[in-house]
Amino acid sequence: MLTNLKPQPADKILQLMQMFREDPRTDKIDLGVGIYKDATGNTPVMRAIKAAEKQLWETETTKKYTALAGDPAYGDAMVDLVLGGAVARDRVAAAATPGGTGAIRQAVELIRMASPDATIWISAPTWPNHPSIIRYVGMKMAEYRYFDDATRGVDFDGMMADLAGVKAGDVVLLHGCCHNPTGANLNMSQWAEVVESLQKTGAVPFIDIAYQGFGDGLEVDAEAVRLVASSMPETLIAASCSKNFGIYRERTGILMAVSETASGQPLTQGTLAFLNRQNYSFPPDHGARLVTMILNDDALRTDWQAELEDVRQGMLKLRTQLAAELQRLSGSDRFGFLAQHRGMFSRLGATPEQVERLRAEHGIYMIGDSRMNIAGLNEATIPILAKAIIDTGI
Ligand code: LMR
């Protein structure tokens, strides 16, 4: 049996992680996988997480199962964090999942159960695991234009033209904030136009929000998802706590599905619980419990928000510094987009050959499409990267 298996394509992001690890150079720079790093290159456990873990260790008396959809208190806390009361709570079904990826997988399976012939539209480009999961689950897929290679901003006209061709009942996958891999985002008036288009075509929005708090702030980053969910009859939302709580390996995510009416919610909620049971039964609890404790405790929450805000400000500062250094070296404003982008990533706009030269000649690792993790930089490596970018003719 096992001899029938065929090798599967390696995930580009994880492959690069491996190559970086194996590179013996001591001055190598990792701008690959999307993990936040502080100025010393560490990915620290956030203070509020440490405090909640200590408290949990002291007070937890059992490890028995929670519920198939996870602890309901986690669902409530996350619905509030993401949706902030934008839609009535009784319209929202929610189930804890192993990370944001788990939420995406469950959402695609939910779509297949409800609407097996629907096409799922993804942005070109998008996070590579989106098409990979959609293909694996066996759903049809199409792309809408998103990124303008010339301006390194959003190709909004192209996007709107493509969204106009979406059929009723198709699903449109959108990044709630901090677009991965480009860093280019819609403004709120553009989001309003997207909503109008979705209403006109009768498409179902599916929002992936994995970086809330990394762009323009915890509340501002949720504005788009709140606008969409409050304007559309149905919305799917996959949210991750990996980045904003720094609990990557705890696998803490949630899938929310907003039904048109409160009377439709129990069916959706039951289906989410069923899907969890089929795939892994009870979702992981540790990370979800820490998140719930932090969100429901004033002191922990205040400290978490303060640390998250420092992380965000730090990344913004790196963006501004890199853009300024490139302006100084190139004598042009052509890298100004780096300061405009938001979140952890920016697509530099280099060719695959140039990306390969950065790796081979300078030990600088970024994804082949020239996505770089801004958080992988620090004050010392910014001038090194800027010089390498110019030397490589980008
Ligand atoms: C990334 O895009 O680098 C992160 O979301 C990590 C991952 O799982 O790919």
Side-chain angles (χ1 to χ4, degrees):
M1 175 188 80
L2 297 178
T3 52
N4 295 332
L5 295 174
K6 291 184 184 67
Q8 298 300 320
D11 183 284
K12 289 194 182 68
I13 297 172
L14 305 186
Q15 205 175 18
L16 195 75
M17 229 169 130
Q18 176 79 11
M19 279 172 79
F20 182 81
R21 227 181 274 134
E22 288 166 3
D23 187 332
R25 286 175 284 189
T26 50
D27 57 351
K28 59 190 176 176
I29 301 174
D30 181 14
L31 308 180
V33 67
I35 292 176
Y36 171 74
K37 289 187 216 134
D38 64 17
T40 62
N42 285 330
T43 303
V45 181
M46 292 179 89
R47 295 186 301 262
I49 288 287
K50 272 285 187 208
E53 275 184 324
K54 186 161 185 279
Q55 212 174 302
L56 184 61
W57 185 83
E58 282 160 0
T59 56
E60 193 173 51
T61 55
T62 180
K63 293 278 188 191
K64 70 181 187 324
Y65 293 126
T66 55
L68 275 183
D71 186 342
Y74 171 65
D76 287 342
M78 285 302 291
V79 168
D80 188 56
L81 180 71
V82 176
L83 287 171
V87 294
R89 178 67 184 89
D90 59 6
R91 285 176 57 204
V92 188
T97 54
T101 305
I104 289 161
R105 171 63 189 266
Q106 297 298 73
V108 177
E109 293 207 18
L110 184 81
I111 297 164
R112 187 177 59 181
M113 284 175 89
S115 196
D117 295 324
T119 296
I120 303 179
W121 291 73
I122 56 171
S123 64
T126 191
W127 183 50
N129 217 15
H130 284 156
S132 179
I133 291 173
I134 294 167
R135 213 175 285 123
Y136 181 69
V137 174
M139 292 297 294
K140 278 185 281 183
M141 186 166 58
E143 285 186 330
Y144 60 87
R145 276 169 281 173
Y146 185 81
F147 190 65
D148 184 336
D149 283 315
T151 64
R152 271 85 149 176
V154 176
D155 173 7
F156 191 62
D157 291 342
M159 177 177 181
M160 293 308 287
D162 291 344
L163 291 187
V166 172
K167 288 199 198 60
D170 279 356
V171 176
V172 178
L173 178 47
L174 298 149
H175 296 232
C177 65
C178 306
H179 187 269
N180 179 6
T182 67
N185 295 288
L186 302 176
N187 61 38
M188 283 314 290
S189 71
Q190 291 172 322
W191 273 105
E193 286 187 54
V194 168
V195 165
E196 231 173 85
S197 167
L198 295 170
Q199 287 171 333
K200 211 178 283 170
T201 56
V204 179
F206 169 17
I207 302 184
D208 181 0
I209 179 157
Y211 296 89
Q212 186 182 349
F214 270 35
D216 289 306
L218 204 54
E219 293 301 310
V220 180
D221 287 350
E223 273 176 12
V225 60
R226 291 173 188 176
L227 174 74
V228 173
S230 62
S231 311
M232 300 299 297
E234 296 181 339
T235 305
L236 301 178
I237 302 155
S240 170
C241 300
S242 296
K243 281 87 180 180
N244 51 9
F245 287 87
I247 48 173
Y248 306 84
R249 64 175 63 167
E250 301 297 353
R251 309 314 296 137
T252 307
I254 190 160
L255 173 60
M256 303 173 209
V258 186
S259 292
E260 186 161 8
T261 61
S263 62
Q265 189 270 2
L267 177 61
T268 316
Q269 184 65 48
T271 309
L272 294 187
F274 170 84
L275 278 173
N276 268 7
R277 182 66 168 159
Q278 305 323 302
N279 284 330
Y280 38 76
S281 199
F282 296 86
D285 179 71
H286 185 72
R289 193 153 298 276
L290 301 174
V291 166
T292 312
M293 290 169 72
I294 291 169
L295 292 177
N296 289 332
D297 179 289
D298 282 346
L300 288 177
R301 186 173 179 136
T302 303
D303 191 45
W304 167 66
Q305 286 188 199
E307 191 171 0
L308 177 60
E309 184 58 14
D310 284 347
V311 162
R312 186 181 81 80
Q313 293 288 352
M315 287 188 294
L316 277 183
K317 197 163 151 214
L318 292 170
R319 287 187 174 282
T320 328
Q321 287 173 343
L322 180 60
E325 182 66 4
L326 281 163
Q327 199 224 25
R328 196 180 67 79
L329 293 180
S330 70
S332 87
D333 284 332
R334 69 179 199 275
F335 294 100
F337 65 89
L338 290 166
Q340 307 306 319
H341 284 173
R342 284 294 178 274
M344 224 187 228
F345 307 117
S346 269
R347 184 185 260 207
L348 186 57
T351 64
E353 294 71 33
Q354 289 168 328
V355 171
E356 176 50 24
R357 277 186 59 200
L358 285 174
R359 191 191 66 77
E361 293 168 23
H362 301 276
I364 296 170
Y365 283 71
M366 56 181 74
I367 312 294
D369 63 1
S370 75
R371 182 194 86 169
M372 36 180 202
N373 175 9
I374 295 293
L377 291 167
N378 58 43
E379 297 205 356
T381 53
I382 282 175
I384 299 170
L385 171 66
K387 187 173 178 307
I389 287 173
I390 300 300
D391 288 352
T392 312
I394 297 165

